[in-house]
Each structure stands twice: as structure tokens, then as C-alpha cells.
Amino acid sequence: MKYFLSVFSFCIFPFALQAQYAPQAGIVGSDAVHKNSIQIVNWAVNCELQKGWMDIGNKGLGNVTTGDSSAAVGMADNLIVSLGDSGVATLHFNPAIVNGAGADFAVFENGFLNAANNEEAFLELAFVEVSSDGVNFFRFPATSNTQILQQITGTGAPGTGDYINARQINNLAGKYVSNYGTPFDLEELKNISGLNVNAITHVRLVDVIGSLNGFESRDKDGRKVNDPYPTPFPTSGFDLDAVAVLHQSGTLSAGGLLPSRFTIYPNPVTDKLFISGQDKPLLISITDATGKILFTGNAASVDVSRLTPGGYFIMIKDQEGRQWTERFIKL
């Protein structure tokens, strides 16, 4: 949202200039989680979407069209699904996310840096909610000091010239640029009645509407959350890449990490998909984007030659019941 400042604004709203939270990925003090971090033990296994508008102020443009639910499942790979203005994505996790030491999961979006200032980036934001029963959801208390403060580059394209300093926002998904996840700590929600922070089965993302007039979203203190608006394109709103699990039920070692992992190759694949790792897989399942199971077995390779070209998911379970999910492309 383009919002020009005056000297008067700086005097009246000094709170908006207080940089109080972690800075952008790559800056000292940032808590961004890289997609290849050894902290990550798993990824979302399913996603349900309610796509929002290209521009909630002009619903005649229709809903966003970029991506589908399969883009949000498995590891972060820069394949995204756009939520649109007010859109919602609900992701499922099995095993459940638990409240460990520090952050417990991280949300990946596809923001990009301002070439003139690496403290600022084009960021599309979302509220984050969690549930331990798939019915009752509870929101992380989000803070935004961007109601007035917003860097404008004057590109002329609606919304696309707006940059945000990550130090101004907290507990909003999309705070960090592409390949870096925004972390969330369940410890903040541990005293909420009706929520078991050691059995989080669902994470819900709700697109922030960055308008300052009429359709605005607000943070926990009632401040307007000023992110790029309008962005009247098929990619409008929060662009979800993936949600990573950092602490997972039944899989924590002393350091909070899984002691074994699996790798699939080649990806993309034409004929045979191979699975390698320290342990022999107990069960392998391949599903399509709808969750339909197409193969089960326990071999170290799978013949996928008969699959129709497209995106699929392989779920690998080890002998201790721990599970990994990864997306692959069949050529």
C-alpha cells in the first residue's frame, strides 16, 4: 500500500519507527530458517485451500489462479500457491508438531529483497493459526509497525514498489525472503484453553489485506498491517511455498533433530525413483495431488514409468515410525 509520509507524520507516530524485532534474512540477528537447515525434520503432508480475490476492492477480477494445494506440500522448492486477498490455506501434519526448545515450525513465502537496501524486501504477509483438533484454531499474536512506515520506490505498478523492513513485524508469515522460513514458537500459545501445543496437527495461514482504507487487516493491538496492496494479478496475496516442522511428535533426539534422513533421486524422474539413507525404509507411499495412494512398498527404488507426467508426493517411513514427505516431478 503506497502511503507517503510527511514531517508531521514522523512527529506524531514515532512508534512506527521503532525497529524492535529480528531483521531480514542474512542480517546479523535474524532468526530466519533456511530451507536446507538441519533443524527441519519434516514438512506438511496435506493442504486445503480457500482462494481469495485478486483485489478484494474489485471482486470483478475474480479469484487468484496461481498454483494449487500440491505446491504447499513437501519441502520448500519455490513452487508456490497464491492465496489472494483474504485467502486461507490449512495444512496438515503427521506426526504432529510439538512444543520444543525454540521455534517449532517455519513458514516459507517467496518475497524478494530491495536491491538498494538489504534490510528491506517485498513481503506479502499472512496471519498464522494452529489447531490440535482440526476444528478450533488459535492465532499467534502478530505485531505490525508498518501502518505508517513504508518504503516507496515509485515503480508505477500497483503494490509492486512497496518494501517492508522486517524489524517492524513479528509473528506474521512472509517476514523473510524466498528460501527462508519465518519461525513460530508454540511456547507463546501454551496457556490457551482448548489447544494442546504438544499435538499440533494443523497450521492455518490467513492472507493479510494490506489496504489502509476499508479492507485492512489489523494486528493484535488494532494497528493496520500495511503490506503491498493492491496486487491485482493471478499471484495476488500471500504466496505459500511450504511449512517446515522443527519439532515433531515421537522424533526428538537430545538435540531436537532426527538421527536419520532419506534422499530421493533423480528429481525430476522418468523411469525409476531411488531412495537412499542411513536406514532402510519400512514403508514407501506415493500419492497424487489429491492424496490418492498410487503405490506402497518398502524397496529402495520405485518404478514410476507408468505414472502420468506431473507432480507427486513420496512419503517414507522408517523403522521407528518417523515419516518424511517430499514432492517429485514425473517427466
Side-chain angles (χ1 to χ4, degrees), residues 11-324:
C11 296
I12 298 299
F13 300 107
F15 67 85
L17 305 180
Q18 297 174 0
Q20 54 185 318
Y21 300 113
Q24 185 53 245
I27 304 296
V28 174
S30 177
D31 59 1
V33 178
H34 191 271
K35 67 179 183 180
N36 294 327
S37 171
I38 61 172
Q39 291 180 275
I40 297 173
V41 298
N42 213 338
W43 303 86
V45 299
N46 190 33
C47 177
E48 298 177 358
L49 295 174
Q50 300 173 35
K51 288 199 172 186
W53 307 98
M54 290 191 200
D55 181 356
I56 198 168
N58 182 9
K59 294 182 179 179
L61 295 176
N63 299 108
V64 292
T65 57
T66 300
D68 58 26
S69 59
S70 67
V73 177
M75 69 182 299
D77 54 10
N78 296 313
L79 298 176
I80 58 94
V81 56
S82 296
L83 299 192
D85 290 347
S86 77
V88 178
T90 304
L91 299 107
H92 178 240
F93 299 85
N94 183 21
I97 304 171
V98 300
N99 182 24
D104 303 300
F105 64 94
V107 182
F108 290 76
E109 211 259 359
N110 68 342
F112 55 88
L113 287 173
N114 177 0
N117 184 349
N118 65 357
E119 284 270 9
E120 298 174 347
F122 180 85
L123 306 175
E124 294 176 299
L125 307 172
F127 295 111
V128 177
E129 302 171 352
V130 296
S131 173
S132 52
D133 60 12
V135 177
N136 300 293
F137 284 82
F138 302 89
R139 179 171 292 186
F140 275 86
T143 301
S144 170
N145 288 325
T146 63
Q147 176 167 313
I148 300 301
L149 180 66
Q150 191 84 343
Q151 176 70 27
I152 306 304
T153 63
T155 63
T160 59
D162 298 346
Y163 294 103
I164 297 173
N165 189 316
R167 297 180 190 268
Q168 302 295 328
I169 53 180
N170 184 57
N171 275 345
L172 285 165
K175 174 183 168 99
Y176 296 127
V177 294
S178 179
N179 297 321
Y180 289 90
T182 305
F184 292 85
D185 187 353
L186 292 169
E187 183 72 11
E188 295 187 44
L189 307 180
K190 68 177 182 179
N191 295 321
I192 294 179
S193 177
L195 181 68
N196 182 354
V197 295
N198 288 309
I200 299 300
T201 55
H202 295 78
V203 172
R204 176 173 289 172
L205 303 171
V206 181
D207 174 72
V208 161
I209 303 171
S211 167
L212 295 183
N213 298 294
F215 303 103
E216 66 272 3
S217 298
R218 295 177 180 267
D219 72 2
K220 67 180 180 65
D221 297 314
R223 289 188 290 263
K224 298 175 182 179
V225 184
N226 184 6
D227 80 346
Y229 176 88
T231 52
F233 315 113
T235 57
S236 179
F238 187 84
D239 297 321
L240 174 59
D241 185 353
V243 178
V245 181
L246 307 182
H247 293 125
Q248 182 174 265
S249 176
T251 65
L252 295 177
S253 64
L257 305 177
L258 288 171
S260 63
R261 290 178 179 272
F262 294 96
T263 301
I264 64 169
Y265 65 93
N267 188 11
V269 59
T270 302
D271 299 312
K272 187 168 285 190
L273 187 68
F274 294 90
I275 300 98
S276 66
Q278 296 177 348
D279 297 333
K280 180 180 177 180
L282 176 65
L283 179 66
I284 296 169
S285 299
I286 291 179
T287 67
D288 63 14
T290 69
K292 180 181 179 180
I293 297 177
L294 306 175
F295 170 87
T296 58
N298 62 0
S301 64
V302 181
D303 183 356
V304 297
S305 60
R306 296 185 179 182
L307 294 179
T308 302
Y312 296 88
F313 301 97
I314 182 167
M315 287 170 280
I316 308 169
K317 182 178 292 186
D318 70 9
Q319 295 183 8
E320 295 184 22
R322 297 168 297 198
Q323 181 173 290
W324 290 259

